[in-house]
Amino acid sequence: MVTSEFSILHHYDTIFTEGVFQVGNAALANVFRSLSAPGPVRVLVLFERQLLAFYPALPGEITSYCGHYPDVLLLAAPPVPVDGGEAAKDMAVVMEMCRLFLQARMCRQSCLVMVGGGALLDAAGFAAAIFHRGIRPVRIPTTALAQADSGVGVKNAVNAFGQKNLLGTFAPPLAVLNDSRFLRTLPPRQIAEAAAEAVKVAMIKDADFFAFLQERAMAIMAGDAAAQQVMVRRSAELHVRHIATNGDPFEWGSARPLDFGHWAAHKLEMLSANRLSHGVAVGMGLLIDTQYAVLSGMLPEAVFQALKELLAAFQLPFCRAPLEQRDRFGRRDVFAGLEEFREHLGGRLHITLPTAIGQKIEVTEIDGERMEQAIATVVAECGEGQPTSNQA
Ligand SMILES: NC(=O)c1ccc[n+]([C@@H]2O[C@H](COP(=O)([O-])OP(=O)(O)OC[C@H]3O[C@@H](n4cnc5c(N)ncnc54)[C@H](O)[C@@H]3O)[C@@H](O)[C@H]2O)c1
Ligand SMILES: [Zn+2]
């Protein structure tokens, strides 16, 4: 027998900045400087084409910026626009990106800088992870959700065979740069998407953050830039800290606390044929599991009411229809989400439940009757709101 055992230390910074491509803002240049390479690092920049509608000067800014730091980086080609959004999460797009890397003569020492929403970062991150078995990715997320959650972690993925996020890798970035300037052009419903995940992580990890969200929800939705930045920053910190300290960054185990509320959310998105956005579905999932915790005697009813009010303040509506779909035995279709979630975890079912604002436990069994009662209570309490469309 020959035993192989080795470990690799991963280290990356999530940097909060304003005007990342303004000459004089050394944050990005310093990422390449930190590599202590013998010469300038070869860099290719992919950016989301849709950003041009809001930031027409972006490619010029990127080029000027890179030209200002010739000692640390060398642009392999002019910045490349790539279509973003969910359609980008496709193997054909990944292959096209790999072709670009080849044309730009990217090697194992080169870096890919990707600028865009969570979907573009997922696709480009996957392409970077497989090209030459991995070139180094630097992420510049441009949506609130990507800055607060999806863009700051260690995963990437594309959709395939009709399944979301089926193909992907774990690939920690070289760095993440969150530029608050990009938040200014986001519509309120994009801010609400990030708020749903912020509420999720606050509920199980940080009572002070929950109180902040209660206090500032209206301001955040009204476009208060400072309050939006606090929400994004604290949410990112909690997500990143969890990944770095929970002992399972590459998700070998089955416990997944950051997926609080997600067993129902994923199923509700499917049952609504994706008419419900992820954030809206997460809000509904949080309500269901929180009500289940109340009925289990582990959480005061007042917490459920506080959560309900907070989600409403973030304009995250409640949609009854997908919860009312039933199979021929009269069982709600959403229940199938529990088994699908267990399969997704690849082991024993683990469901995260709040025991107080800011605290949680993991349970490995769910009482079907009590969950039915929880859903019925949530439906009765929350009534009906306008479903938010993913396509809108
Ligand atoms: N890798 C992970 O760990 C992880 C975790 C959670 C979610 N995700 C993925 O993230 C994706 C969702 O990310 P998202 O919410 O950023 O959506 P998105 O990337 O689809 O972007 C949403 C919309 O915002 C636009 N946009 C981007 N930046 C903008 C800006 N600054 N101003 C105005 N409009 C802007 C985009 O063009 C797009 O139309 C999903 O595919 C999800 O699966 C990944
Ligand atoms: Zn989520």
Side-chain angles (χ1 to χ4, degrees), residues 43-295:
V43 171
L44 183 68
V45 183
L46 297 189
F47 68 94
E48 182 163 332
R49 194 190 307 276
Q50 288 93 318
L51 289 171
L52 288 171
F54 305 99
Y55 308 96
L58 185 63
E61 284 175 13
I62 295 172
T63 307
S64 310
Y65 183 88
C66 295
H68 196 74
Y69 296 94
D71 52 326
V72 285
L73 72 118
L74 172 77
L75 262 191
V80 186
V82 184
D83 289 331
E86 200 63 25
K89 293 181 53 161
D90 187 282
M91 273 313 280
V93 175
V94 169
M95 291 298 280
E96 199 44 50
M97 288 176 177
C98 289
R99 186 202 302 277
L100 287 169
F101 302 164
L102 189 64
Q103 283 166 352
R105 295 190 290 110
M106 302 289 277
C107 73
R108 298 251 321 130
Q109 308 309 320
S110 309
C111 289
L112 177 72
V113 175
M114 42 188 120
V115 187
L120 178 95
L121 299 181
D122 258 0
F126 185 49
I130 60 174
F131 186 77
H132 279 313
R133 301 195 178 92
I135 55 175
R136 281 174 283 203
V138 175
R139 301 196 203 115
I140 302 186
T142 61
T143 63
L145 181 72
Q147 292 194 3
D149 175 353
S150 61
V152 298
V154 294
K155 296 187 276 188
N156 58 60
V158 295
N159 309 325
F161 308 115
Q163 283 196 42
K164 197 165 156 69
N165 295 334
L166 185 68
L167 307 178
T169 69
F170 287 91
L174 184 59
V176 181
L177 291 106
N178 277 344
D179 182 347
S180 56
R181 191 180 67 151
F182 286 117
L183 300 179
R184 290 188 205 141
T185 48
L186 293 168
R189 82 188 155 76
Q190 286 283 344
I191 300 291
E193 287 295 298
E197 302 284 357
V199 171
K200 169 203 76 179
V201 78
M203 271 288 281
I204 53 172
K205 285 187 180 278
D206 189 340
D208 288 345
F209 186 36
F210 193 89
F212 166 83
L213 294 172
Q214 284 178 305
E215 202 179 299
R216 306 297 287 153
M218 297 290 189
I220 288 168
M221 293 310 288
D224 182 324
Q228 288 179 352
Q229 283 169 35
V230 175
M231 177 180 82
V232 164
R233 187 180 183 129
R234 187 68 190 137
S235 183
E237 280 168 359
L238 289 166
H239 279 91
V240 170
R241 191 177 303 159
H242 176 85
I243 293 166
T245 61
N246 84 330
D248 189 21
F250 293 169
E251 299 178 356
W252 298 113
S254 296
R256 210 76 67 77
L258 293 181
D259 278 350
F260 169 41
H262 277 57
W263 73 266
H266 289 314
K267 190 67 190 172
L268 290 170
E269 282 175 84
M270 270 178 59
L271 289 173
S272 74
N274 285 326
R275 274 190 327 119
L276 289 188
S277 72
H278 183 65
V280 170
V282 166
M284 292 170 64
L286 298 181
L287 286 167
I288 291 169
D289 284 352
T290 300
Q291 181 58 229
Y292 182 87
V294 171
L295 294 176

